[in-house]
Amino acid sequence: VQLQASGGGLVQAGGSLRLSCAASGSFFRINDMGWYQQAPGKQRELVATITSGGSTNYADSVKGRFTISRDNARNTVFLQMNSLKPEDTAVYYCKAAVQRLRFGPSLDYWGQGTLVTVSS
């Protein structure tokens, strides 16, 4: 199973970016998917998660500005980031809980990360 993240870049404060993360490989089902951020010198932190049924959860710092969504047919999760702030600058990683076999366990897989830089 591989996760390929894309969409990062340099944007001015107040701007928007849309991140995408597509899962590929052989598996039975993808359960929860999510985005995490890791700023320089800090630990990786949760940004947003979404269940296979579409229920979402957000960090307080991004509520009202970021929206997570997914396309189950394309095994892809998105993060729409609006009203970006310099403190949103970080490497963003996607994660997927993947069930490779019908009766097997759900294991976490991570994407390679995509850098988001917000200038003031």
Side-chain angles (χ1 to χ4, degrees), residues 64-118:
R65 300 188 299 123
F66 291 9
T67 302
I68 189 170
S69 61
R70 65 190 284 174
D71 183 339
N72 290 330
R74 293 164 54 193
N75 299 315
T76 301
V77 62
F78 306 96
L79 185 68
Q80 178 65 44
M81 304 187 293
N82 298 329
S83 303
L84 282 161
K85 305 175 181 180
E87 51 263 44
D88 295 321
T89 296
V91 177
Y92 284 73
Y93 296 90
C94 57
K95 187 178 81 169
V98 180
Q99 194 173 343
R100 298 193 66 179
L101 301 175
R102 181 175 181 180
F103 300 109
S106 183
L107 302 176
D108 289 340
Y109 290 84
W110 290 89
Q112 84 285 6
T114 184
L115 177 62
V116 172
T117 304
V118 184

Side-chain angles (χ1 to χ4, degrees), residues 19-100:
L19 307 183
S20 300
C21 177
S24 62
S26 177
F27 49 84
F28 173 70
R29 179 171 57 200
I30 299 177
N31 297 311
D32 293 1
M33 303 184 83
W35 289 95
Y36 294 72
Q37 65 179 192
Q38 187 165 18
K42 294 188 176 181
Q43 291 187 331
R44 194 172 299 185
E45 298 179 338
L46 179 146
V47 175
T49 61
I50 184 168
T51 68
S52 57
S55 296
T56 58
N57 179 54
Y58 295 93
D60 288 342
S61 60
V62 306
K63 283 181 181 177
R65 300 188 299 123
F66 291 9
T67 302
I68 189 170
S69 61
R70 65 190 284 174
D71 183 339
N72 290 330
R74 293 164 54 193
N75 299 315
T76 301
V77 62
F78 306 96
L79 185 68
Q80 178 65 44
M81 304 187 293
N82 298 329
S83 303
L84 282 161
K85 305 175 181 180
E87 51 263 44
D88 295 321
T89 296
V91 177
Y92 284 73
Y93 296 90
C94 57
K95 187 178 81 169
V98 180
Q99 194 173 343
R100 298 193 66 179

